[in-house]
Amino acid sequence: QLQASGGGLVQVGGSLRLSCAASGFTLSYYAIGWFRQAPGKEGEGVSCISSSGGSTRYADSVKGRFTISRDNAKNTVYLQVNSLKPEDTAVYYCAAGTSGYGCRSLHSTDFGRWGQGTQVTVSS
């Protein structure tokens, strides 16, 4: 399964680095996506990175502020979140792509092996 970590409480404009670690399977075979769920709102696909790390996708809402990367040797994917805004407050989840090695979309239906999320709270 996948386990997200690294969340916390930060002020507007702050930064965090979220980690997504895999257990029981080899992360390098999969594209990995980050998603978030805020109370009362629909879930949103935030970013995705291909299995090799050579291709990435971002939601328009986070472009230029979030950076996804991976270290396959450590079986871990990262999401650097900068310039945080109150609307970034959510539980962040990672999941493995089910449609090949690339990021076909940021739709949750194209991902599986969902793990527990990590809470990011941005205070103003």
Side-chain angles (χ1 to χ4, degrees):
Q1 293 301 323
L2 293 169
Q3 176 68 55
S5 62
L9 174 63
V10 296
Q11 293 186 331
V12 170
S15 298
L16 289 169
R17 188 174 81 157
L18 308 184
S19 297
C20 174
S23 61
F25 71 101
T26 303
L27 202 72
S28 61
Y29 295 154
Y30 299 89
I32 299 296
W34 281 96
F35 299 80
R36 64 186 181 185
Q37 178 75 56
K41 296 184 179 180
E42 286 190 12
E44 179 185 21
V46 173
S47 184
C48 178
I49 188 167
S50 63
S51 60
S52 67
S55 176
T56 58
R57 295 183 69 147
Y58 295 93
D60 288 343
S61 58
V62 306
K63 279 181 182 176
R65 299 188 298 121
F66 290 12
T67 303
I68 192 169
S69 62
R70 67 191 301 156
D71 185 339
N72 285 339
K74 294 184 178 179
N75 225 27
T76 303
V77 170
Y78 304 99
L79 186 68
Q80 180 69 40
V81 296
N82 298 329
S83 303
L84 283 163
K85 305 175 182 180
E87 52 264 42
D88 295 318
T89 295
V91 178
Y92 283 71
Y93 300 88
C94 56
T98 59
S99 303
Y101 298 119
C103 297
R104 187 169 76 173
S105 77
L106 291 177
H107 296 147
S108 60
T109 52
D110 285 333
F111 293 83
R113 295 183 184 259
W114 296 84
Q116 292 185 334
T118 186
Q119 176 72 48
V120 172
T121 303
V122 184
S123 67
S124 55

